[in-house]
Amino acid sequence: MKYEALTFTIGDLPGISSKTIENHLGLYEGYVKHVNLIHEKVAAFSHDLENNAFAIAEMQRRLGFEFCGMRNHEYYFAQLEGGPKALPEGALRDKIESQFGSVDAWLESFKLITKTRGVGWVMLYHDPHTDQLAQTWVDEQHLGQLADLDIILALDMWEHSYMMDYPSGEKGLYVDAFFANLNWEVVASRMT
Ligand SMILES: [Fe+2]
């Protein structure tokens, strides 16, 4: 089992510097590397279960962090490819409007979650079991991910996403820049 880092073509993003994106892509590649490393090390350590059981268990505990760190960033960077695009008519817009009243009302509720203290993500999901949208804060990369829901929109709120561009007290400016650069066509295409 081996994962390859994806490549993303991201142009100039007003409000998010190319230095931030370049550094951030490097961090993403680190997650991919560590997912692969865990799989390799677990396989290698498994030849001596008696001595390595504890180490294997700790690596398994670590896998969710590294794997979600890999996958979350793939959703994040794909949304910033292709330049800003408005939310098109279709299933996602219909669902947002029926569930939240309007796109603006939804955005207000989503931005409230970005104010959560700590490092993590704000996620908008579609629940295929109930055909409803759900959104939450995810600590780190994995703690609080909602099981078996499809990620629709992933907003990285780790400080590495904005600290070179904004002081920590002004992370709201980063959130505004993210939405100004968001390719909603990519986001909307995730509603299957
Ligand atoms: Fe990140």
Side-chain angles (χ1 to χ4, degrees):
M1 191 184 312
K2 186 164 171 63
Y3 293 87
E4 301 287 342
L6 304 181
T7 56
F8 300 93
T9 304
I10 298 174
D12 286 340
L13 305 176
I16 304 175
S17 66
S18 53
K19 193 175 172 190
T20 290
I21 293 294
E22 196 177 312
N23 178 67
H24 205 166
L25 285 167
L27 294 173
Y28 156 64
E29 289 171 8
Y31 284 106
V32 179
K33 177 181 167 187
H34 282 87
V35 168
N36 289 329
L37 264 177
I38 287 175
H39 287 132
E40 286 168 22
K41 297 288 184 193
V42 166
F45 278 41
S46 295
H47 296 298
D48 187 357
L49 288 174
E50 192 174 340
N51 285 313
N52 295 332
F54 183 76
I56 291 170
E58 289 307 304
M59 285 192 283
Q60 291 295 166
R61 206 185 303 281
R62 181 85 181 171
L63 181 60
F65 172 79
E66 302 290 0
F67 188 94
C68 292
M70 171 180 74
R71 188 56 46 81
N72 292 347
H73 284 97
E74 290 168 354
Y75 278 84
Y76 177 79
F77 289 121
Q79 302 162 154
L80 297 173
E81 288 188 305
K85 300 275 192 312
L87 174 60
E89 299 294 330
L92 178 58
R93 177 179 277 279
D94 291 349
K95 191 59 72 180
I96 287 175
E97 289 176 347
S98 67
Q99 219 175 303
F100 294 87
S102 68
V103 175
D104 285 346
W106 164 77
L107 186 57
E108 193 178 335
S109 71
F110 190 86
K111 284 185 174 180
L112 263 182
I113 306 173
T114 68
K115 298 177 189 296
T116 306
R117 287 165 58 79
V119 293
W121 293 73
V122 184
M123 293 293 191
L124 173 68
Y125 304 92
H126 177 249
D127 183 349
H129 298 269
T130 62
D131 190 25
Q132 294 180 98
L133 298 174
Q135 55 192 16
T136 194
W137 174 266
V138 172
D139 258 324
E140 298 186 18
Q141 303 290 350
H142 57 318
L143 301 171
Q145 287 275 14
L146 304 182
D148 202 23
L149 272 60
D150 300 322
I151 295 173
I152 302 296
L153 177 62
L155 174 51
D156 194 336
M157 292 304 300
W158 280 60
E159 288 166 342
H160 61 237
S161 308
Y162 61 85
M163 279 292 279
M164 280 193 274
D165 302 324
Y166 305 100
S168 58
E170 295 177 20
K171 65 182 181 180
L173 295 176
Y174 156 69
V175 173
D176 290 342
F178 170 81
F179 278 104
N181 287 295
L182 184 60
N183 185 338
W184 272 108
E185 292 180 5
V186 170
V187 176
S189 73
R190 294 170 178 162
M191 287 281 283
T192 53

